C-alpha cells in the first residue's frame, strides 16, 4: 500500500482521507505515494490554526523567534540525506542536485536568523521641536505561499522562514507532485521548536489555492510557478484587496561574446541548460551567439557533450540528468521539439528518442540542441521547461540586448566575456531582474533578493532577502510629542509642518 | 470669459478644447475657470511624451537629476503666495492652511533632492570565492499618479518628485475640481530645468484614469482618494499586471485618556477635526473618550469652541474654516448629519444651517459635534469628509483599541496621555498605519513614509519617503565572476551554492 | 598540584612555563589554578600565527566564515554548564548570573552570524555618465582585544566574533584573574571549525598588552577596563598610529521620580547595585532621588532588603551575591566605605564586617547603602566596583540631569517614571551613552552597540553591534568607468566633477 | 596697502591686528594680502562662541538646520566666479580647475542637505517582551577642522557642512597661505542663515592648531594635510582623549596594463599628474607600466605632451597648469628632481628651468617625467607635491600590486585596462582606500566617503559622506520598558538577557 502524505495542521500531521492523488517516481513511472487533497474544512482548519497562533507569536521577541531558526538550520543539515532522497524520489533530479537545492534553501534559513537586525525601524529625533518619529515594521497576520514542483525544498524556504521570523503565521500549499520533502522539512521546523500553528502545510490543487486567496484572514500571498498562473493569482489576490508577489516563468538567454573562453562557456551552458532536466526558472534555454564564428564553434563544442550526457535515475550520483517530472510534461517537451523542427529550427541534437535501460517507464528525455532559431519560432517564445537549448545568432551585443528586452520574460540572463565595457553595457541595459556576468545561473544569494522583470514577476517586491522582510511586514509610522506639564499648546487649524 | 486650465504635455501647455468642465470657487459658488478634459488622443500624447523622454532621463546621473529639484524647491518657495492663492480659490481652504499644505509638499521635494543617497544599492564582495554580487534599483519607465482634490499641491508632490528622481517619467492626473495650482507647480518644475516629457499633466475624469491604467506603457500606478475608487484602481492596475499603491479613505480616532490635559486636547481636536473643513484623510472624526467623566468634560469644552468657530472665505486668514469643496459634497454632509440624528446620535452642535454673510452662495457648513455615537451608526462607520466630530464613549484603553481595530479603515489615529505605558500599548496594538502620541494629525515627515492599514491602503509600499523609492524602482541583482585567464572551470549540473 | 592555564596559539594549547601567576577562587580564597604569563616570544608567536592565518581567512567568503559561528553558538549552548562553572570558580559570581552573562555573549555570536548582511557595501550606478562607484568594507588584518575580569565570557565575545567574521584574525588578552572560561570558550571555537591562527589567546599582564599595542602587525586595539588604563591604551595605540576603542569606568545613576512605583524601583535597584557584587561597568551605584519624600521612602524600602541579602559562594544558586574578585579589591572597597563615613556620608547599611560561615577566607563584602551623599565626596566621584549604593537627593529632574552630566563618567543611566515627558527630557539631555527608561541595566541588545560617553569611552565607534563592523573594517571606495572601445576621452586638467 | 584677511567669529569678521602674515599670488610672486594670525584670546573667543551657539543649534530640528544648506548651495553657485577668482589668486590653479574644486565642494553641501535621512537611528520593538530599544546619533558639541592649502574651498566643505548639520558647532582653521576664498565662503553661509557661532574661522599657524586640539571644549578634530602633521595631530588629539580623523599624504600609482588604450591613458595621466601642478593628495605621481613594451610606448606618448604643456597664470583658462604654491615649495620640488637624477632616474622631461614670459617671478615649474625609477629612490618614496611623474616598470599585475602595497601610503590608485579579471584582482587586493578603474582621480562622490589606508589616514572613519555623519555624532542607545500599572516586577540579581 502506498505511503500517504497528509497535511500539517497546528503542529500535527493531518490525514484528509476523502480525496487523494497519486505521486509518482518519475525515474520509474511507478506510484510512490498518495497525497491527500485538502477539503474545504481542512483548509479552514489551517487558516484557523494560523490565526490562533498569531497573537502569541507576534508578541514573541524577534530574537526569541530566531532561536527556532538556528535549531532548524542544524536539523536541516543533520537530515539532509533523508530530505534529498525524498526530493529525488518524487522530483527525479540527481541527488547532488538535490543537495545543491537544499543548500540554497538553508541559506534562506540563515538569512532569517538575522531577523533582529533586519526588522530594525527608522528613528528620527526632533522631526520638530521635541517631536520624535519612528517607523516600525510590524507583521501582517496569517499569510499564504504556493510553491512549484521544481524546487520542492528550496522555494518554500524562500518564503516561510522570512515570513514567520517577521512575526506572521504561514500556510504553505506546496506542489502536489512532490509533497514529501516539504512535509518532512516542516516537521523538522516543529522539532526545532516552532509553536503549533505558526506554519501549516496543506496539499491540494487549484481549489485549495483559491480558498486561501479568498479567505479574508489571509493577509498576503506569495507564489512561484508559471506565468499564466502567476498572473491569475496576482489578479485574484489583488481583487481581494491583498498584497501579492507572484513569480512566473522565464526564457533565460546567455550571451556569448567573441572574447569568451568557449571551453568555459560550454561547461557552463551544459549545467545551466540541462541540469535538473532544464526544469528551473533560472535555466538557460537560449544561447545568443554574437557572430557566426562564435555560434559555429559553440555548437561544435556543445554537440558531443550533449550527445554523451549521462542520463538516468537521480539516485545514481554519476548521472548528470534525471527524468522529467511527469509523463505529460515529457510529451509537452516532445511536442515543442517537433514543432521547432516544423518551424525550421535546425536540430543539432534531438533527445526525443532516448531510452534509459532498466528505466524504460521513466520520463526521460535527452539533451536537445537547436541552431538557427529565430524569435518568431514557438520554441523561442515559450518556456519549454525541459532539456532543450536553442542557439540564436546575432551580430552585435546591442542586438543581443534588444532581443532579450523584446522577450515577454525577464527572469535571468547572463553574459560570457572578459570585457568590462561589455559586461557593464549588458548589466545596465538588459531588462532582466537577475544578471550573471560569467555566472550562468545568477540566482542571487539569500541576502540579496530574487525576482524577474516584465512578465516573470507580478508585484513590486522580490522574493527572499531584504525585499521579503518588507513584503511580510506593514510599516507603521509613529509621531510622538509629550505635552509640557506647564505650557498650553494653541489650536492649529492649518496643516502642520513641524 | 473663464480662465481655461489646460494640460501640460512635453513641457508645453496644451489646450484640449473639445471638452471642458467648470471649476468653482467654493467660497462664492461662482465659476472661476474651466478645465479641459483630456481626449484619448491627448492622453496618448502624454504617454508618448513620457516614453520618449525616458531613455535620456534614465541615463542622466541621479546627482544631475537632483539639480532640478534644488531649483524647484527655491521656485516653490518664491512663488508660494501665488500657489496658495490658487489653492484657496479652488479648494476653499484658508490661506494659512494652504501654506501648511505647500510646506509639507516642499518637504517631499527636499527628500527627493537626496536621491543619490536614496538610490544606493547593496554590494557584497565574495559571495563565493571571487564572486561578487550587488543589487541596483533601476527606474521603471513611464508611471502614472492620480491625486485628490483635498491637497491639490501636496499629494502630487508626494509622488512625482520621488518617481522622477528615481529616473522615471511621470503622468499626473490631478483632481479636476481644483486643477490650477498643480498645473502652476508643474510649470515651475520645467522652469527649474526638468526636461520636456519627464512630467506630463493631464486633466480629466474616470476615462482618463482608465486609459492611463490600461496603457501598456505605464509601468506603475499611484493613487490617493476614497476607498471605493482606490480599490477599483488597485484591481484594474493589478489585472493589467502592474504594480499599484492605492491610498483610500479614513475614519481617524483620537483616544482621550483620563490623564490627558483637556485644554490641550480640545485645542488639538478643534484643529484636527475642523481644519480644512474636515476634508483631510488624516482629519480626526472620532473622539474616543475613556470614561464618562472625560467625555462629559471634553464635550463641555468643545461645545463653545465649535459654536464660535470663525467660518468664512479662505482668503481671509482670520477665518478658521472655509467652505466645503462642492455643493454636492455639502449636501452629502448634511444628509449624514440628518441620518445620525435619526439613528439616535446626540447633536451637541449642529452646523447644518450656518450662513456666512456676503457668501450666501458659498458651500459653508458649520462645525458639528455628536455625542453618544455608537459603532452601529452610519456616521461612525463612514467617512463624512466634512466638519463633523463624533464622540464615542468607552470604559478602558483596551476597549478603545478594539473599537479602532474593528473599524474598516486604519489610516491615522492618536492618543492623548502623559502615560508611557498607555502610549506604548496603544502604538503597539492599534491596527493603524500612522499613530500620533499627543500629535493629533500624525502625518509622517517626508523622510518617513505615509500609509494606512486595512482598507485605507491597497498595496504593500507606502507613499513618499523610503517606500516610494522602492515602489518607483525595480530591483536588479547582478552576480559577477571573472574567469581566470588560465584555469578552466568544470560543468556543474547540480544547483550551485557558492 | 594546580591546574595550569596556558595560551591558545595557532589552534593549540601552548604552555609557557617560565612565568606563572596564581588564580584564586574568591569564595574560598584558595588558589585554584596557575595561569601562564606569556613571554615576548610567545606573544610573537601569536602575532605571527594571526598574520599567517589572515590571507586565507580574508578570502573565505563571509557566508562560509559564518558557518563557524553557527556551530560555535550550538557548542556554547551545549557546554554552558561547564563554562559557567569556570566563571563562578574564578570570578565568584552566582551561577545564575554567569548564565546571564553567557547568554548575552551568545547573542553577540548570533549577531556575528549575520555577517553577510552586515558587510554589505554601498553601490551607486551612474555617479557620472557610465561611471559607477561602490564602497566595500574590507578587513584590517590582525587585531587585538584586551578584556577585563568582570565578564570573562561575555566581553571577549563582544569583540572577536565580530572582528573575525569581518575577515580579521584576532589576538585576545583576557584578564589573568579569571582566564579559564575564556580559554575553554576559545577551544570551542576551534571545535566549531575556526582555522588555526584566526583566534589566538595570550595570558599575561601589562607587558603583554604593550607588546601587542606596539607590534606593527596589529592593526587595531579594542579594550574594556577601568578609565585610567583605557586612556593609557587609547593614547599608546594612537601614538602608534592605530585605531583604538577603549571602554573605561562608570558611575551609573538611577533617577527615581516621584511617580515611580517604589516597590519596583527597589527590586530593580537591588539587582542593579548588588548583582555580581557591583562589579559591572553598568551597575547602578548612585540612586538620585527627586525629592526628600522619595528619598526617605526609598531608603526605608532598601534597608531591610540589603540587610537580608543572601550572600555566599556563587556555586549555590540560592545566593544573591557572591564574593569580590580579590582580597585587594575587597580592601579597596572597605577603604572607600570608611572614607565615605569620614567625609560625612550617612551609612544606612554597612556591609564591611560581614562573615559568611564556612567561607571565612572568601572575599565577601556585604551590601552597603549610604544616604545624603554629595558630589564632593570621593564615594560619589570614583568608581567603587563593589556592593555599595549611594543616595543623592535632588529637588528636580533638571537638577538630576545636571548632576549626571557633571560627572566624569557617562556610561549608563536610568530613570524610573511612568511619565512620557520626563523620560523624553531625560533620554534627550543626559550625556550618557546608554540610557534605561525603567530598565536598570540598559546594556544594549547585541544588534545595537555598547558604549559610554565622556571618560567612559575613548574612540568614536562603540563596541559590538553595527559599530563593531565599522571598527573592524576599512572602507574602500571604488570608482569604475569602462572606456568605450571606439571613442577617445580627452585630458582633464581641471578637478573632475562627474 | 594690502587687503587684510581676518577671522570670522560669532558671525562677524574679526581683525586680530597684532600679528599678520603675507599672502602671495604664486603666479606673480607678489603679495596680495595679509592674513591675521589669531592670538590666544581670539581662539578663545572662537571656542566660546562655538560653545554658546551649541545648545540652541543642537535643539534645532535637522530639517530646519538643512534649510541653511539649501540656501548656501544657491549662494555658492551664484558667487562661484568670485570664489574661484580668490582661489586662483592665492593658490595659483587655473580657473577651470578652481571651478572643478568648487563643484565638488558644493556636492558635499548637497549631501549635508540630506541630514534628516542621514541622522536616522535604529529602532527595535520588542527586544524583550514589551521592551523597546533604539539608537540615536546625537551631536558632539564644538568640533574643529584644520585644512590644507591645496583645496582651500573644497576641503573645508568636506568637514563643516556635515558636522554642522549633525548639530555641532565648528571652528575652522584653514591654510594661512590661501585664506581668502574660505573666509568668503563662510560669509555666504551666514548670509544663508547660519546662526552666529555655529561656524567660526580662525587663521593662524601651529599655535592655533595646538590651542584648538588642547581646548577641553573641543570634542573632535578633523585634519587634512601631510602625513607627518596628520600623525602629530592624531597623537595630540588622542592624548587629549579626543576622537580624531587625520588625513595625510599620498603617492598614488596608476597601473597601465598591456590591454589599455594608451591614447586614453596618456590623456588621463596628463591631467592626473600635472593638473593643479600635482598639488593634490589624489594626484597620480607614479605610472606603473606592466611590461617594457607598455612603458616604452607610454613614455613616447607622454614626452611630447609634457613638453608642450601650456603653463602660465591660472587666470588664463587656456593654460593647463599654473604655478606652485610658494617659492619654498618650488625649491623643494627642484631639489627632489635633482636628487632623482643623482640617484639614477632617467629624466625624460625636466621642467626645472621653465620660464613663463611676463611671469618671471611666479613660482612656475615645468612638467617633469622620469623613467626607470626604482622603489629605492627618494623620488619614489616621498610625496613631491609638484608636477613630477615617474614611471616604474614591472612585469606582472601581481608585481604592480605588491609594489603599491609595500609603499608607506595608500590614498588613491588606479588601473587602466579593459579586462574584468584584472580590475577585480586589483580592486580586491590593493591596500589603498580609493581605487579607480580607468578613473585616474578616483575621488569618491560626496555620498561615498573619502579616505586612504596605511599612513594616508589616521583614525577609523573616513572624511565626508556617510562616515562623516558617524564621526560627528555620538551613538546613544536607549532601552525602554513601561512598568505595568498593576503587576510588580521581581528583582533580578543575575545579568539580564531579555
Amino acid at each position: 500500500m502506498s505511503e500517504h502524505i497528509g497535511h500539517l495542521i497546528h503542529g500535527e500531521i493531518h490525514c484528509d482521507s476523502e480525496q487523494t492523488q497519486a505521486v509518482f517516481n518519475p525515474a520509474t513511472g511507478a506510484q510512490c505515494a498518495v497525497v491527500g487533497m485538502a477539503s474545504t474544512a481542512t483548509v479552514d482548519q489551517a487558516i484557523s490554526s494560523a490565526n490562533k497562533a498569531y497573537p502569541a507569536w507576534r508578541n514573541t521577541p524577534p530574537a526569541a523567534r530566531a532561536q527556532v531558526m538556528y535549531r532548524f538550520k542544524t536539523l536541516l543539515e543533520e537530515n539532509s540525506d533523508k530530505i534529498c532522497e525524498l526530493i529525488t524520489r518524487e522530483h527525479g533530479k540527481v541527488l547532488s542536485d538535490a543537495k545543491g537545492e537544499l543548500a540554497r534553501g538553508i541559506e534562506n534559513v540563515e538569512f532569517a536568523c538575522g531577523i533582529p537586525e533586519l526588522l530594525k525601524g527608522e528613528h528620527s529625533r526632533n522631526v520638530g521641536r521635541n517631536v520624535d518619529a519612528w517607523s516600525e515594521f510590524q507583521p501582517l497576520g496569517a499569510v499564504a505561499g504556493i510553491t512549484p514542483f521544481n524546487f520542492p525544498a528550496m522555494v518554500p524556504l524562500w518564503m516561510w522562514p522570512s515570513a514567520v521570523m517577521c512575526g506572521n503565521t504561514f500556510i504553505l500549499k506546496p506542489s502536489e507532485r512532490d509533497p514529501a520533502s516539504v512535509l518532512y522539512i516542516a516537521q523538522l521546523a516543529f522539532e526545532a521548536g516552532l509553536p503549533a500553528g505558526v506554519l501549516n502545510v496543506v496539499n491540494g490543487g487549484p481549489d485549495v489555492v483559491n480558498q486561501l486567496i479568498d479567505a479574508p484572514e489571509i493577509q498576503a500571498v506569495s507564489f512561484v510557478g508559471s506565468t499564466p498562473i502567476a498572473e491569475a493569482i496576482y489578479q485574484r489576490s489583488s481583487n481581494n484587496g491583498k498584497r501579492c508577489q507572484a513569480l512566473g516563468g522565464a526564457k533565460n538567454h546567455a550571451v556569448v561574446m567573441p572574447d569568451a573562453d568557449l571551453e568555459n562557456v560550454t561547461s557552463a551552458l551544459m549545467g545551466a541548460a540541462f541540469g535538473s532536466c532544464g526544469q528551473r526558472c533560472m535555466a538557460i534555454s537560449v544561447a545568443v551567439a554574437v557572430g557566426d564564428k562564435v555560434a559555429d564553434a559553440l555548437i561544435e563544442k556543445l554537440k558531443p557533450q550533449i550527445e554523451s550526457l549521462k542520463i538516468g535515475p537521480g539516485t545514481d550520483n554519476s548521472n548528470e540528468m534525471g527524468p522529467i517530472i511527469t509523463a505529460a510534461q515529457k510529451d509537452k517537451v516532445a511536442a515543442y521539439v517537433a514543432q521547432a523542427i516544423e518551424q525550421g529550427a535546425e536540430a543539432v541534437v534531438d533527445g526525443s528518442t532516448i531510452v534509459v535501460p532498466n528505466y524504460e517507464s521513466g520520463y526521460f528525455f535527452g539533451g536537445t540542441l537547436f541552431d538557427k532559431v529565430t524569435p518568431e519560432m514557438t520554441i523561442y517564445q515559450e518556456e519549454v521547461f525541459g532539456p532543450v537549448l536553442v542557439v540564436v545568432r546575432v551580430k552585435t551585443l546591442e542586438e543581443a540586448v534588444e532581443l532579450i528586452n523584446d522577450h515577454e520574460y525577464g527572469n535571468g540572463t547572463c553574459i560570457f566575456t572578459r570585457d568590462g565595457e561589455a559586461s557593464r553595457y549588458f548589466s545596465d541595459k538588459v531588462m532582466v531582474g537577475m544578471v550573471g556576468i560569467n555566472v550562468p545561473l545568477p540566482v542571487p544569494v539569500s541576502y540579496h533578493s530574487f525576482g524577474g522583470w516584465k512578465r516573470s514577476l507580478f508585484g513590486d517586491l522580490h522574493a527572499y532577502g531584504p525585499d521579503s522582510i518588507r513584503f511580510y511586514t506593514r510599516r507603521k509610522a509613529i509621531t510622538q510629542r509629550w505635552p509640557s506639564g506647564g505650557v498650553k499648546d494653541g489650536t492649529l487649524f492649518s496643516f502642520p509642518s513641524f
Side-chain angles (χ1 to χ4, degrees), chain A residues 401 415 422-432 435 437:
Chain A
V401 170
I415 188 171
S423 79
R424 206 275 184 182
Y425 178 89
F426 183 73
S427 72
D428 184 33
K429 303 291 186 217
V430 77
M431 300 282 287
V432 171
V435 180
I437 298 171

Side-chain angles (χ1 to χ4, degrees), chain A residues 441-462:
Chain A
L441 287 182
V443 182
V445 286
S446 65
Y447 40 105
H448 288 259
S449 292
F450 182 107
W453 287 17
K454 293 187 284 183
R455 289 176 58 77
S456 290
L457 185 146
F458 300 93
D460 43 22
L461 292 165
H462 287 195

Side-chain angles (χ1 to χ4, degrees), chain A residues 353-373:
Chain A
T353 56
I354 200 160
V355 176
V356 176
N358 301 320
Y359 291 88
E360 289 77 4
S361 306
Y363 317 140
F364 293 96
F365 197 98
T368 299
L369 179 68
F370 283 104
D371 191 8
K372 299 188 181 150
V373 167

